[in-house]
């Protein structure tokens, strides 16, 4: 009898507790979703109703190029971070608890360090006569000026994005039973082959969530391109910023923004079954 | 990790408590905000010639903000949050948006003290300046550039050029056309597309500064080889250690700045009194002398120091090369020209 | 198992070790240049500095613009942390305990701000806030940053909710505790670490946010990251080097101190 009332109470409780989600949902709907819907709507209605903003993206001769450049850069950044981060995340799983703690800390330090401070540091390194130029000159490559180029933006972005790649990778690799790899090698498979056939496929969810996370974040990244890039080699985020700031062209900026949103949603839809990048990241940070 | 994060928050609270005593600037009744183009001899001149003495004489607190940004000014009026009261901006803006985005300004008896055709209902001229070409003597110790055409010739003069990409109305469009051989008399109506094609030649070598402050500092920091910039900034460059920069004397597009009051300014009376004060001959002369600009009040006489004289486009020697801008053309076409420029710049 | 990990640690090849070292260098070294920069005597960003001084630290602590931006940042950050924590904790409970229509949709919505392109969100919020007269107000900053912070709080709290044994609650209830008592005496202490971590996460999210803040700023309401951004793009103000160094050192200390304390505790 007592169990019955407790069960009933719990059932009503479960229905009631749902309402606790209401305030957060309301705030997100009003101050997050509504603005996004409005900006997309303005891309069709500002200054005149129709597809004018999109047609002008196609025909103005620069927007398409900027979009491709942005996709290419985001892809490049994601590939580079993956290549750099994969062995690091793998090494983390092979460490003892203390080594692992230290390696996590080393990833979290930049993650928690002010974004502006890190971008400012890159600004210093990449300027004319800066450290990067001198280093390159020392090994015989002269006259490379990274500041103001897509390459300069990409280099800094790779460093800024590294934690976003390492953490999901590690959290997925950590759940792989290493004995599988040991078993494969003890059965006579050479290590590279065992790695490729056994370990790599198992780490794929982490690769996908890290990769898609970095790719998506790079698409809409504003600070690094606008500080280290240049208008001539602009990424979409810079063009959106300049259109809004200099021309108050919310329609045109909205159209470019809508394209970014669509690409983001497409990527998310593609990887959603295999990984949930955002959740993966925050859990990784939280557990660390 | 959790512990660490909690410590972040604790640290934040402590910092907050420690700094709370500093307080944020309050919006008291006897205060207003003056906006100019940012630290450099120009704004510093305005501060020393107008802002400081005015604060002392009238007991008004003036906050100086920068840089001037016309788009931002429009947004302020439209959103009803006008944080700027007296603004130094270009004269086309004053002509274009009088009454819409700007308050009318009464200058009383001073109305006749400005060069003919410069004063408008919403804009009071405060300085004349020219757009000059300068080059880095470290880069071009021998055979330096000698004309505007050289600025647009990346083959004869390889090197990094810098301009302020956010101020296409300052005279840099005119400079490109003059450099391409257009006669001063045939300049208006401006062929903006032709000017952009001229800039296309050097686009890979071009750095777009976002403000004059940034441009000036890039020059002093040896981050560029040639520059187009307004004459007051040329003076700033020399004054802040960039003496390895030298002007090239060719045709000089000449423009002026206006003081305006954004519509909806909460302190428009104070701002108007301030603008009247700044336009007096004594104040105008003090500003012109400190900033190396031409005084807008025709009865004021500026006394320039040696560095300012080096880059002064208003001396008798350079008088014939001055090409005065057509403010009415710009007032009519500023929107289209700025849009074309901005879209061209980002690509 | 411990034996296996021990063997693994010893088994790291030289190639992998070198790679790890390079990655660590890449992660940490670039940021450190701000520290020598901050002691420069020169008003330019020339690096490495030729002469040394403390003038940029003096400037940071005495300038109205820098101090008031710091105060604004901390004020906004604390308000955001408080608001996002209240909203996020409630939502996390609802998502964890509740069974209702649209739960999946709300979960997705709650994660969306973490993943949508930053610049698009910023411009969208800017456009709407202009109309609502929220630009240049602390309220505007707090609302915008709260939407970004809510996902972090929800994840934090959800993780700690998922991590504990629900039978404790059932036990308390069966021993006669009413739901309020159960919540206060059992549930709350167990999720408190998650709540605190969510609070801290929200605070840092707001403190570090630049893009939305850039659009919402006015001269009177300007956060520290915006002041830093302006000191590169508007005019070179090396005070940013002092500000950056202080932030780097503060972050490092906050992250390292617990680590060091723990080590001391374990060795003593």
């Amino acid at each position: 009898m007592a169990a019955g009332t407790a069960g009933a109470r719990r059932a009503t409780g479960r229905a009631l507790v749902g309402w606790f989600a209401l305030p957060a949902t309301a705030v997100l709907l009003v101050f997050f979703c509504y603005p996004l819907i409005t900006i997309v709507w303005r891309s069709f209605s500002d200054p005149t109703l129709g597809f004018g903003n999109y047609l002008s993206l196609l025909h103005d001769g620069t927007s398409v190029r900027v979009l491709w450049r942005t996709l290419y850069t985001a892809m490049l950044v994601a590939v580079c971070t993956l290549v750099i981060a994969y062995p690091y995340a793998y090494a983390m799983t092979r460490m003892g608890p203390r080594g692992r703690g230290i390696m996590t800390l080393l990833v979290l330090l930049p993650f928690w360090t002010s974004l502006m401070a890190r971008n400012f540091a890159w600004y210093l390194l990449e300027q004319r006569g800066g450290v990067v130029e001198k280093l390159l000159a020392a090994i015989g490559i002269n006259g490379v000026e990274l500041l103001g180029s897509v390459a300069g933006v990409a280099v800094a972005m790779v460093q800024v994005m590294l934690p976003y790649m390492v953490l999901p990778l590690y959290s997925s690799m950590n759940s792989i039973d290493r004995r599988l790899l040991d078993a494969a090698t003890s059965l006579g498979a050479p290590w590279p082959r065992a790695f490729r056939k056994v370990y790599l496929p198992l780490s794929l969810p982490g690769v996908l969530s890290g990769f898609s996370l970095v790719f998506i974040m790079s698409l809409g990244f504003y600070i690094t391109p606008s500080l280290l890039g240049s208008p001539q080699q602009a990424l979409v985020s810079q063009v959106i910023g300049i259109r809004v700031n200099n021309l108050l062209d919310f329609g045109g900026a909205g159209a470019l923004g809508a394209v970014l949103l669509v690409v983001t949603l497409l990527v998310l839809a593609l990887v959603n079954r295999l990984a949930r990048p955002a959740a993966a990241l925050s859990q990784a940070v939280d557990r660390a | 990790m959790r512990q660490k994060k909690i410590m972040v928050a604790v640290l934040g609270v402590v910092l907050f408590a420690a700094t709370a005593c500093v307080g944020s600037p309050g919006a008291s009744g006897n205060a207003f905000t003056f906006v100019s183009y940012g630290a450099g001899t120009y704004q510093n001149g305005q501060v020393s010639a107008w802002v400081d003495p005015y604060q002392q004489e009238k007991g008004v607190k003036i906050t100086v903000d920068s840089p001037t940004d016309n788009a931002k000014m429009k947004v302020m009026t439209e959103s009803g949050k006008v944080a700027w009261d007296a603004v130094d901006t270009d004269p086309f803006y004053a002509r274009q948006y009088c009454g819409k985005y700007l308050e009318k300004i009464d200058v009383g008896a001073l109305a006749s003290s400005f060069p003919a055709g410069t004063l408008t209902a919403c804009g009071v001229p405060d300085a004349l300046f020219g757009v000059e070409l300068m080059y880095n003597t470290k880069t071009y110790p021998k055979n330096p550039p000698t004309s505007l055409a050289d600025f647009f010739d990346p083959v004869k003069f390889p090197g990094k050029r810098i301009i302020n990409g956010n101020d296409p109305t300052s005279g840099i469009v005119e400079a490109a056309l003059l450099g391409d051989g257009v006669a001063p008399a045939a300049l208006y109506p401006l062929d903006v597309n032709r000017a952009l094609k001229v800039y296309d030649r050097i686009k890979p070598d071009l750095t777009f500064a976002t403000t004059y402050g940034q441009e000036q500092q890039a020059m002093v920091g040896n981050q560029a080889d040639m520059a187009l910039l307004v004459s007051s900034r040329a003076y700033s460059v020399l004054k802040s250690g960039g003496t390895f920069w030298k002007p090239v004397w060719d045709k000089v597009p000449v423009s002026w700045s206006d003081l305006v009051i954004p519509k909806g300014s909460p302190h428009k009376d104070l701002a108007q009194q301030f603008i009247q004060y700044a336009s007096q001959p004594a104040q105008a002369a003090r500003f012109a002398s400190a900033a190396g600009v031409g005084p807008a009040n025709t009865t004021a006489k500026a006394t320039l120091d040696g560095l300012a004289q080096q880059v002064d486009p208003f001396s008798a020697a350079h008088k014939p090369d001055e090409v005065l801008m057509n403010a009415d053309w710009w007032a009519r076409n500023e929107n289209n020209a700025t849009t074309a420029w901005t879209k061209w710049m980002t690509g | 198992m411990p034996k296996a990990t021990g063997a693994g640690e010893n088994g790291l090849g030289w190639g992998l070790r070198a790679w790890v070292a390079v990655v660590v260098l890449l992660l940490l070294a670039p940021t450190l240049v701000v520290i020598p920069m901050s002691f420069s005597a020169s008003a330019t960003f020339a690096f490495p500095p030729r002469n040394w001084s403390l003038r940029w630290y003096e400037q940071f602590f005495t300038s109205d613009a820098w101090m008031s931006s710091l105060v604004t940042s901390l004020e906004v950050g604390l308000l955001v942390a408080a608001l996002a924590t209240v909203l996020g904790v409630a939502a996390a409970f609802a998502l964890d305990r509740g069974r209702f229509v649209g739960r999946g949709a709300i979960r997705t919505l709650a994660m969306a701000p973490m993943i949508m392109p930053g610049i698009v969100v910023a411009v969208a919020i800017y456009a709407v806030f202009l109309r609502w007269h929220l630009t240049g107000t602390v309220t505007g900053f707090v609302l915008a940053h709260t939407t970004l912070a809510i996902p972090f709080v929800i994840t934090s709290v959800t993780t700690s909710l998922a991590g504990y044994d629900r039978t404790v609650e059932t036990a308390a209830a069966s021993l006669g505790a009413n739901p309020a008592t159960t919540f206060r005496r059992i549930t709350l202490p167990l999720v408190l670490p998650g709540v605190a971590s969510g609070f801290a996460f929200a605070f840092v999210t707001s403190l570090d946010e630049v893009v939305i803040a850039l659009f919402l700023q006015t001269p009177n309401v300007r956060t520290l990251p915006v002041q830093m951004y302006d000191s590169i793009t508007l005019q070179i103000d090396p005070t940013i080097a002092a500000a950056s160094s202080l932030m780097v050192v503060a972050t490092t200390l906050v992250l390292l101190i617990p680590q060091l304390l723990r080590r001391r505790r374990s060795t003593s």
Side-chain angles (χ1 to χ4, degrees):
Chain A
M1 191 61 210
T5 35
R9 202 187 293 151
R10 193 181 303 156
T12 36
R14 284 195 161 179
L16 283 178
V17 82
W19 290 102
F20 284 175
L22 190 65
T25 312
V27 166
L28 287 172
L29 283 176
V30 175
F31 298 106
F32 182 77
C33 294
Y34 175 74
L36 281 178
I37 294 166
T38 316
I39 198 78
V40 173
W41 167 242
R42 276 181 91 162
S43 72
F44 294 107
S45 64
D46 183 356
T48 51
L49 203 62
F51 294 93
N53 286 315
Y54 292 89
L55 289 174
S56 103
L57 289 192
L58 281 177
H59 297 302
D60 67 3
T62 59
S63 298
V64 176
R65 196 164 67 229
V66 170
L67 275 167
W68 280 120
R69 187 188 291 139
T70 307
L71 291 173
Y72 171 79
T73 309
M75 189 59 84
L76 187 74
V77 169
V79 169
C80 291
T81 22
L82 178 62
V83 169
I84 294 172
Y86 195 95
Y88 186 88
Y90 175 73
M92 275 171 87
T93 65
R94 307 256 330 244
M95 293 300 248
R98 222 180 95 199
R100 198 176 293 196
I102 292 171
M103 285 181 81
T104 312
L105 191 71
L106 291 172
V107 175
L108 288 175
L109 262 175
F111 184 83
W112 286 92
T113 304
S114 152
L115 186 68
M116 271 312 300
R118 280 181 290 158
N119 278 294
F120 172 58
W122 279 107
Y123 185 92
L124 291 177
L125 292 172
E126 292 185 0
Q127 65 188 336
R128 175 148 120 167
V131 176
V132 173
E133 193 185 308
K134 282 178 188 152
L135 280 178
L136 288 174
I139 57 168
I141 308 170
N142 282 308
V144 177
E145 203 180 327
L146 282 178
L147 197 64
S149 71
V150 172
V153 173
V155 167
M157 243 151 79
V158 166
Q159 195 246 359
V160 170
M161 293 290 173
L162 262 180
Y164 293 95
M165 184 65 90
V166 172
L167 295 172
L169 273 180
Y170 167 69
S171 105
S172 132
M173 285 178 180
N174 202 25
S175 60
I176 300 176
D177 190 344
R178 275 195 44 81
R179 280 171 299 184
L180 288 172
L181 196 54
D182 296 336
T185 42
S186 68
L187 287 174
W191 194 84
R193 191 178 142 83
F195 183 81
R196 201 160 27 107
K197 291 280 179 190
V198 178
Y199 197 85
L200 202 60
L202 287 171
S203 67
L204 219 52
V207 171
L208 271 175
S209 52
F211 190 89
S212 50
L213 186 69
V214 170
F215 178 76
I216 289 171
M217 291 190 74
S218 305
L219 282 181
F221 222 59
Y222 179 66
I223 297 304
T224 308
S226 63
L227 282 179
L228 305 177
S230 61
Q232 298 101 307
Q233 297 190 34
L235 301 183
V236 172
S237 57
Q238 283 163 279
V239 179
I240 293 177
I242 290 178
R243 289 230 178 158
V244 168
N245 282 329
N246 296 18
L247 301 176
L248 304 177
D249 176 14
F250 283 97
L256 283 166
V259 175
L260 281 190
L261 283 178
V262 168
V263 175
T264 304
L265 293 175
L266 274 179
V267 173
L268 285 180
L270 275 176
V271 299
N272 200 22
R273 297 249 170 96
L274 301 158
R276 290 173 181 276
L281 170 79
S282 55
Q283 276 165 14
V285 173
D286 199 63
R287 262 191 232 124
Chain B
M1 198 54 231
R2 241 158 223 157
Q3 242 176 315
K4 293 163 206 162
K5 278 181 263 180
I6 293 160
M7 292 212 41
V8 176
V10 170
L11 187 82
V13 176
V14 171
L15 272 175
F16 183 67
T19 51
C21 51
V22 178
S24 50
S28 90
N30 215 14
F32 69 93
T33 303
F34 168 66
V35 183
S36 186
Y37 285 89
T41 54
Y42 188 79
Q43 182 177 300
N44 297 351
Q46 290 171 324
V47 170
S48 68
W50 309 340
V51 174
D52 287 344
Y54 194 76
Q55 292 195 105
Q56 290 199 330
E57 282 171 37
K58 316 277 169 164
V60 176
K61 165 98 184 93
I62 303 177
T63 306
V64 180
D65 195 29
S66 67
T68 298
D69 182 336
N70 290 342
K72 209 161 158 185
M73 217 166 6
K74 284 183 199 168
V75 164
M76 281 185 183
T77 300
E78 281 182 350
S79 68
K81 280 212 74 79
V82 181
W84 291 350
D85 303 301
V87 182
D88 186 312
T89 187
D90 54 59
F92 332 114
Y93 191 78
R95 285 166 196 240
Q96 226 176 323
Y97 296 116
C98 194
K100 187 175 179 199
Y101 292 122
L102 297 175
E103 302 278 358
K104 294 212 159 90
I105 303 172
D106 179 16
V107 288
L110 287 164
S112 58
S113 8
F114 304 100
T118 56
L119 181 74
T120 52
C122 289
V124 181
D126 67 334
L128 293 162
F129 54 83
V131 166
E132 294 180 13
L133 167 57
M134 294 191 91
Y135 70 93
N136 186 335
T137 53
K138 291 183 184 173
T139 320
Y140 310 110
K142 288 177 243 175
N143 304 324
T146 53
S147 67
L148 282 170
D150 293 342
F151 185 80
F152 298 99
D153 188 341
V155 182
K156 231 166 102 189
F157 293 94
K160 239 172 116 169
R161 279 92 165 143
I162 189 165
I163 57 174
N164 180 352
N166 286 347
D167 197 10
T169 61
S170 63
I172 52 180
V173 175
E174 284 85 344
L177 294 171
L178 292 168
D180 201 31
V182 176
L187 210 47
Y188 296 92
L190 288 181
D191 187 345
V192 177
N193 284 330
R194 178 170 170 184
L196 294 180
K197 288 217 176 65
V198 175
Y199 271 108
D200 267 333
R201 295 176 202 158
I202 53 164
K203 202 173 177 187
D205 305 313
L206 212 48
T207 301
F208 295 101
T210 48
T211 61
Y212 285 112
Q214 204 193 29
E215 180 176 8
Q216 173 195 325
Q217 279 160 321
M219 292 168 71
V220 175
N222 196 27
Q223 301 277 315
D225 305 310
M226 265 196 261
L228 280 177
L229 77 173
V230 291
S231 47
S232 54
R233 282 292 173 179
Y235 177 41
S236 297
V237 168
L238 299 183
K239 249 193 135 172
S240 46
T243 43
F244 53 93
W245 286 86
K246 281 211 156 49
V248 173
W249 293 107
D250 193 345
K251 296 275 178 270
V252 178
V254 168
S255 181
W256 68 92
S257 313
D258 273 1
L259 293 173
V260 301
I261 304 174
K263 198 166 183 79
S265 146
H267 313 106
K268 62 176 185 192
D269 293 335
L270 287 174
Q272 177 166 305
Q273 286 161 24
F274 174 73
I275 291 172
Q276 288 172 353
Y277 174 85
S279 306
Q280 306 289 336
Q283 275 71 20
R286 251 199 323 227
F287 168 45
S289 310
V293 292
N297 188 318
T298 46
T299 58
K301 275 275 163 283
T303 42
L304 302 180
D305 65 21
L307 289 177
Q309 281 172 18
Q310 277 184 40
V311 289
D312 175 29
F314 302 107
S315 67
H318 303 308
K319 200 89 199 151
D321 291 328
E322 289 174 13
V323 181
L324 192 69
M325 272 189 194
N326 184 335
D328 288 326
W329 183 89
W330 273 106
R332 282 192 308 273
N333 299 287
E334 191 251 328
N335 272 348
N336 290 337
T338 307
T339 304
W341 172 270
T342 306
K343 290 196 170 160
W344 166 81
M345 182 170 78
T346 53
Chain C
M1 253 345 249
K3 201 177 162 195
T5 43
E9 190 169 5
N10 294 333
L12 282 195
W14 283 112
L16 195 53
R17 276 168 199 240
W19 191 270
V20 167
V22 169
V23 174
V24 168
L25 202 67
L26 178 65
L27 279 170
L28 301 184
T31 314
L32 295 179
V33 302
V34 301
I35 294 172
M37 189 70 228
S38 68
F39 294 104
S40 167
S42 142
T44 68
F45 284 159
F47 187 87
R50 290 209 186 87
N51 301 297
W52 308 92
S53 80
L54 286 173
R55 61 189 278 209
W56 305 115
Y57 286 94
E58 192 193 333
Q59 176 71 15
F60 180 78
F61 286 109
T62 54
S63 133
D64 270 357
W66 282 95
M67 275 296 121
S68 78
S69 73
L70 178 62
V71 171
T72 306
S73 264
L74 296 173
E75 187 185 351
V76 170
L78 288 176
L79 288 169
V80 167
L83 185 58
T85 304
V86 172
L87 296 174
V89 168
F93 266 93
L95 290 171
D96 188 65
R97 302 288 171 82
R99 296 287 174 272
F100 53 94
V101 184
R103 188 159 150 267
I106 289 179
R107 198 186 285 277
T108 310
L109 170 69
M111 286 299 131
M114 286 177 76
I115 205 80
M116 287 300 138
I119 181 70
V120 185
V121 175
V123 168
I125 288 181
Y126 178 53
V128 169
F129 278 21
L130 276 177
R131 221 178 308 143
W132 293 347
H133 297 201
L134 283 173
T135 53
T137 63
V138 170
T139 317
F141 276 87
V142 170
L143 289 170
H145 284 178
T146 299
T147 65
L148 298 187
I150 284 176
F152 288 101
V153 179
I154 292 184
T155 335
S156 246
V157 178
T158 310
T159 315
S160 59
L161 277 176
Y164 88 80
D165 191 353
R166 190 82 68 80
T167 51
V168 188
E169 272 174 34
T170 323
S174 70
L175 288 173
N178 64 27
T181 316
T182 314
F183 180 80
R184 195 160 43 82
R185 302 287 296 273
I186 309 287
T187 318
L188 204 56
L190 283 169
V191 297
L192 210 55
V195 174
S197 128
F199 182 92
F201 230 140
F203 177 75
V204 175
T205 303
S206 164
L207 196 66
D208 205 24
E209 202 286 329
V210 210
V211 188
I212 297 177
L214 271 178
F215 285 95
L216 295 186
Q217 64 149 332
T218 57
N220 296 328
V221 185
R222 186 172 282 162
T223 58
L224 184 61
V226 172
Q227 179 71 24
M228 291 168 79
Y229 184 91
D230 284 355
S231 66
I232 302 176
T233 54
L234 300 188
Q235 60 204 34
I236 291 170
D237 173 3
T239 313
I240 185 187
S244 299
S245 302
L246 290 171
M247 296 193 93
V248 170
V249 170
T251 322
T252 312
L253 286 181
V254 166
L255 286 179
L256 283 184
I257 286 171
Q259 203 79 6
L260 296 176
L261 287 179
R262 199 177 304 157
R263 184 168 307 167
R264 184 171 304 165
R265 216 177 298 143
S266 64
T267 49
S268 63

